[in-house]
Amino acid sequence: MKENKYSAIITAVGMYVPEKIYDNAYFESILDTNDQWIISRTGIKERRILETGATSDLASNAALDLIKAHDVDPEEIDVIIIATVTPDMLFPATACLVQEKIGAKKAWGFDLSAACSGFLFAFQIGCSLVESGQYNKVLVIGADKMSSIIDYTDRNTCILFGDGASAVLIEPSEDKSVGLQDYILGVDGSGKNALYMKGGGSLYPPTHKTIDDKMHYLYQDGKAVFKVAVKGMADVSYELMQKNNMSAEDVAFLVPHQANLRIINATAERMGLSKDKVMVNIEKYGNTTAATIPLCLVEYYRDGKLKKGDKLILSAFGAGYTWASTYIVWAI
Ligand code: COA
């Protein structure tokens, strides 16, 4: 295999969550549900909701937070990749809208659709562009306004999701002991009917009937997804550890996609990790789809818990099905 010229490292991070909160008490007031059921089955207490604006606003705010926190010149950004399943429009790409909003005058970019695995897929592409020596600054953003595709009369799904965005900047480093080390990515289209939004694309363009049939909302077979997600995320995380001869002691943190605390705990158990080695913030934000993993990274980094040299396993499972596990060494 051809040796990469550089290692791809995260040099800057940023995040944005809207102020409006839907807590479990809110859902108790509009649905037949209760706080205790939601917490015990999912681990979620609150989610953030964007009342005005779209995914490009979430993504731009996360990028601007990164730019401000790390004193980055937006005109030096080469590429913008947005992982999302809730683009502002089918086209143009949300990346174009973000490029304009943050003043990244020299950047090109595109959107990537891989649902809950979207951030890790986009991160992989971003790292490849940097490792090859082609580009110096690639901005990868996970952003989703899930509230735009959620049916708030469906108690099976609406309690799970929230809105948010988080960004990382990837740059080259000559020190190969830090940055992206290894990864396993996969898709299996046989899962296509377990979690999807049926309407609005070329198969079912919007009509009065597609609206009446609620085809523009997220649909999920919760039990089916739960079963494969528990096994899928645990298996791929364990496989990546094995592949890299890592023991539980070597891992500083598992950074899991935040869909359900029970899926997170099962993955940690399979990897032999204690609770203090698992990044969790699902109680505050719910499932923000492409944003969950970078939101964890930013919060733990800013709290001083994530340190240079820490070995991290980032893992996700989602609609498609899609899955990803990525081994990085934190570099800042
Ligand atoms: N409040 C109260 N009861 C609820 C409820 C709610 N918000 N939502 C569902 N229920 C009910 C169901 O209707 C069902 O009742 P029934 O048996 O009378 O039909 C009962 O609770 C149990 O449902 P079940 O599906 O067994 O619950 P569960 O333990 O599987 O938990 C999910 C439901 C959705 C939390 C769980 O399946 C899940 O997390 N799935 C995967 C979600 C996920 O990860 N999605 C993203 C993938 S990236």
Side-chain angles (χ1 to χ4, degrees):
M1 208 162 79
K2 205 173 151 223
E3 182 79 352
N4 288 321
K5 204 166 174 193
Y6 300 103
S7 186
I9 63 169
I10 292 174
T11 56
V13 295
M15 63 175 273
Y16 176 76
V17 289
E19 275 174 26
K20 175 80 179 173
I21 292 174
Y22 281 179
D23 59 13
N24 291 348
Y26 169 73
F27 288 104
E28 283 179 351
S29 75
I30 62 163
L31 294 165
D32 178 15
T33 189
N34 61 78
D35 181 50
Q36 206 259 328
W37 189 97
I38 300 173
I39 291 178
S40 64
R41 296 301 183 98
T42 71
I44 302 168
K45 293 181 181 163
E46 297 179 351
R47 323 89 192 116
R48 299 303 180 101
I49 303 295
L50 185 69
E51 292 181 288
T52 48
T55 296
S56 68
D57 297 302
L58 296 168
S60 300
N61 282 327
L64 291 170
D65 179 50
L66 176 152
I67 285 166
K68 196 167 159 222
H70 297 266
D71 203 16
V72 173
D73 179 355
E75 295 198 18
E76 285 186 4
I77 296 169
D78 299 308
V79 187
I80 301 170
I81 310 175
I82 313 269
T84 187
V85 288
T86 52
D88 288 27
M89 294 165 268
L90 278 180
F91 66 90
T94 308
C96 301
L97 312 176
V98 172
Q99 178 272 337
E100 189 192 19
K101 283 180 184 176
I102 67 171
K105 290 192 180 139
K106 296 187 183 129
W108 64 279
F110 57 94
D111 292 0
L112 187 148
S113 172
C116 297
S117 307
F119 176 77
L120 291 184
F121 282 21
F123 181 70
Q124 185 56 44
I125 303 286
C127 287
S128 305
L129 295 173
V130 162
E131 286 170 338
S132 61
Q134 276 182 288
Y135 295 100
N136 288 318
K137 284 186 165 58
V138 177
L139 186 63
V140 173
I141 308 176
D144 270 301
K145 185 186 174 188
M146 295 307 290
S147 62
S148 66
I149 58 167
I150 293 297
D151 176 0
Y152 283 95
T153 65
D154 176 12
R155 69 176 184 172
N156 291 293
T157 53
C158 70
I159 53 132
L160 298 170
F161 295 93
D163 303 337
S166 189
V168 302
L169 187 68
I170 306 172
E171 294 188 69
S173 166
E174 285 182 1
D175 178 1
K176 295 203 177 166
S177 68
V178 289
L180 177 66
Q181 304 292 313
D182 200 7
Y183 54 89
I184 299 170
L185 311 176
V187 304
D188 176 3
S190 70
K192 60 188 179 299
N193 294 328
L195 180 51
Y196 59 69
M197 190 179 102
K198 209 169 188 175
S202 57
L203 182 60
Y204 296 107
T207 62
H208 288 291
K209 184 164 172 13
T210 64
I211 302 291
D212 290 343
D213 290 348
K214 296 190 167 192
M215 287 165 68
H216 303 266
Y217 288 131
L218 172 150
Y219 165 83
Q220 172 171 254
D221 178 346
K223 264 188 192 151
V225 175
F226 187 84
K227 266 192 218 150
V228 287
V230 163
K231 193 170 171 342
M233 214 160 93
D235 282 355
V236 72
S237 308
Y238 184 70
E239 190 186 337
L240 191 64
M241 273 176 79
Q242 297 280 95
K243 199 174 155 207
N244 288 277
N245 297 315
M246 294 171 89
S247 67
E249 288 75 54
D250 298 322
V251 179
F253 286 105
L254 164 69
V255 192
H257 170 54
Q258 312 277 305
N260 186 313
L261 192 56
R262 292 182 292 151
I263 300 175
I264 294 171
N265 289 342
T267 305
E269 201 175 304
R270 178 83 199 273
M271 295 168 73
L273 297 178
S274 53
K275 285 217 160 89
D276 57 317
K277 288 191 167 200
V278 185
M279 290 194 188
V280 176
N281 61 12
I282 191 171
E283 70 283 358
K284 290 191 288 183
Y285 307 127
N287 184 350
T288 54
T289 303
T292 63
I293 288 176
L295 278 174
C296 279
L297 289 174
V298 181
E299 290 200 331
Y300 276 68
Y301 174 66
R302 289 185 175 170
D303 284 350
K305 294 178 194 157
L306 178 53
K307 302 210 169 55
K308 187 173 177 177
D310 279 351
K311 293 178 177 171
L312 310 178
I313 303 279
L314 287 48
S315 294
F317 193 95
Y321 295 117
T322 57
W323 61 88
S325 193
T326 303
Y327 166 29
I328 67 170
V329 180
W330 196 248
I332 53 173

